[in-house]
Amino acid sequence: MTRLILATRNAGKITELRSILADAGLPHDLVGADAYPEIPDVKETGVTFAENALLKAHALARATGLPAVADDSGLCVDVLGGVPGIFSARWSGKHGDDKANLELLLAQLADIADEHRGAHFACAAALALPDGRERVVEGRLRGVLRHTPTGTNGFGYDPILQPDGDTRTCAELTPTEKNAISHRGKAFRGLVPVIRELLG
C-alpha cells in the first residue's frame, strides 16, 4: 500500500479524498500534512490555481519522499474578469476572513444586475511524485451570485453562489450534495485515473 500525503490540515478535505479513493477501489493510505508537523506550510506564490497546487505538492513530495496531492481553489467572477480568483481567501486584505471577503465582494457587485452575476468556483488538484513527475486536473462549478448570503453549511463564498440548475446556494446544500457537484470533488475525482496510472 502506497502512502499518499494531501497538502492540507483540513480534516474535511482528507475525508473527502479518502472517500473518493475508496470508491475507486484505490488502496492508498492517505494522510494529511498534520502527519508531518515539522514541514512548514508552503507560500502560495503562483499566479494560477495550478501553479499554487503544484508548488505545494512538489514541496511535500520532496520533503517526505512520498507522492503528494495538493489543491488550490477560489471564486472567479465573470464581470470582474475572473477575480478574486487566486486571491479569494484574502480578498479583503486579511487571509481567511470569510465574512470580510464576502462583504467586500457583495459591495463591489451591489449595482450589477442578475443577468451579469455569473461566476464559478475553480479548483486545481495536483499530484507530484518524488521523482519530479506531475499532473494537474481542474474542476469547476458554475452558477450565479446572490445579492445576500443564504445558508449555514460550507464556508467562504458558498452562501452566495447558486449552482446552475439549483435554487439553493452552496451553503444550503448538504455536504453530500455539495461534494457530488463541487469543483474540488470534480478535480479530486479527476485525479483517480492519474493516481491509478502513476501509482497503481
Side-chain angles (χ1 to χ4, degrees):
M1 181 185 291
T2 307
R3 173 167 272 203
L4 189 59
I5 182 166
L6 179 60
T8 185
R9 301 182 197 285
N10 179 325
K13 274 193 198 179
I14 296 165
T15 300
E16 183 181 1
L17 185 53
R18 268 192 192 135
S19 172
I20 288 168
L21 293 177
D23 288 347
L26 291 171
H28 303 291
D29 172 31
L30 182 73
V31 297
D34 283 345
Y36 300 88
E38 71 281 3
I39 299 173
D41 289 336
V42 179
K43 285 195 184 339
E44 297 181 10
T45 56
V47 295
T48 65
F49 296 123
E51 284 180 18
N52 283 331
L54 283 166
L55 278 171
K56 293 184 282 188
H58 277 298
L60 265 183
R62 281 193 304 269
T64 63
L66 297 169
V69 172
D71 74 290
D72 192 35
S73 60
L75 178 70
C76 305
V77 180
D78 296 352
V79 76
L80 296 180
V83 298
I86 60 167
F87 305 108
S88 293
R90 54 187 184 276
W91 191 234
S92 64
K94 183 181 174 190
H95 194 281
D97 189 339
D98 286 356
K99 185 171 184 289
N101 290 335
L102 199 59
E103 287 174 354
L104 175 59
L105 186 65
L106 286 173
Q108 290 167 328
L109 298 173
D111 57 351
I112 301 298
D114 289 352
E115 63 266 28
H116 301 300
R117 295 176 75 90
H120 67 271
F121 280 131
C123 176
L127 172 68
L129 274 54
D131 64 9
R133 285 181 291 166
E134 65 182 41
R135 294 284 184 83
V136 180
V137 180
E138 301 196 7
R140 288 185 173 194
L141 172 60
R142 274 211 66 83
V144 294
L145 296 175
R146 294 269 194 92
H147 291 267
T148 53
T150 312
T152 55
N153 294 332
F155 58 94
Y157 300 95
D158 284 351
I160 60 170
L161 187 86
Q162 177 181 309
D164 288 345
D166 209 314
T167 57
R168 301 166 296 170
T169 67
C170 288
E172 294 177 286
L173 303 176
T174 66
T176 302
E177 287 174 321
K178 185 185 167 193
N179 288 346
I181 63 168
S182 81
H183 50 305
R184 183 174 296 108
K186 288 174 183 173
F188 277 168
R189 283 190 294 275
L191 272 185
V192 164
V194 175
I195 293 170
R196 186 175 279 123
E197 176 195 339
L198 296 182
L199 303 180

